[in-house]
Amino acid sequence: MTPEVEQALKEIKANFPDCNLISREDGEGGVYIIVEDVPLGTPYTQEITWVGFRITFQYPYSDVYPHFVQGDLKRIDGKGLGEATSAGTFENRAAIQISRKSNKLNPAVDTALLKLLKVLQWLKSR
């Protein structure tokens, strides 16, 4: 794991102390991460979810994209999940892929943690 990827992993662990974090090195200097028991709630029927993503060896010069959540995610109002979501798998888990690409990536500011927080905020605001 590159030092930058390792630092990103530490930042995520520190900011989600009540969540179980699973990580697996990808063999190229990056890591696959699953943060379990992430608070979610409204507008979803689930109070918690897991969130998965990969940080590649190019980090911080590459976007952390896409993110994945549990495959059975459902809205309270029964509506579909909408744009930027699709069914898939992540680390052998049924998942919903969330496609929220950072078009103007700034490696000095756009950390893996910040991207995760933005994706969660986006999910909760829908």
Side-chain angles (χ1 to χ4, degrees), residues 63-121:
D63 194 9
V64 179
Y65 167 88
H67 286 70
F68 298 85
V69 295
Q70 66 191 64
D72 63 347
L73 189 68
K74 300 220 181 325
R75 292 177 54 92
I76 292 169
D77 61 12
K79 293 181 182 177
L81 298 178
E83 78 283 348
T85 62
S86 60
T89 59
F90 184 77
E91 292 289 280
N92 298 316
R93 297 179 182 208
I96 300 295
Q97 178 177 315
I98 301 168
S99 299
R100 301 295 299 163
K101 187 164 176 38
S102 299
N103 292 323
K104 296 182 181 182
L105 180 71
N106 180 345
V109 177
D110 296 322
T111 66
L113 173 61
L114 180 61
K115 181 66 177 274
L116 173 56
L117 294 172
K118 285 181 176 182
V119 166
L120 289 170
Q121 180 182 21

Side-chain angles (χ1 to χ4, degrees), residues 2-65:
T2 68
E4 295 85 0
V5 171
E6 190 171 354
Q7 179 61 35
L9 185 58
K10 287 179 185 176
E11 290 172 1
I12 293 165
K13 282 181 183 180
N15 280 273
F16 288 88
D18 298 328
C19 298
N20 185 35
L21 193 135
I22 300 167
S23 63
R24 179 179 67 82
E25 292 188 40
D26 67 6
E28 299 175 351
V31 66
Y32 292 94
I33 298 172
I34 296 176
V35 183
E36 294 186 320
D37 305 320
V38 176
L40 188 59
T42 306
Y44 302 97
T45 60
Q46 292 87 349
E47 290 296 318
I48 59 171
T49 189
W50 59 265
V51 182
F53 51 97
R54 180 182 181 202
I55 304 174
T56 66
F57 73 92
Q58 298 102 334
Y59 179 83
Y61 301 101
S62 64
D63 194 9
V64 179
Y65 167 88

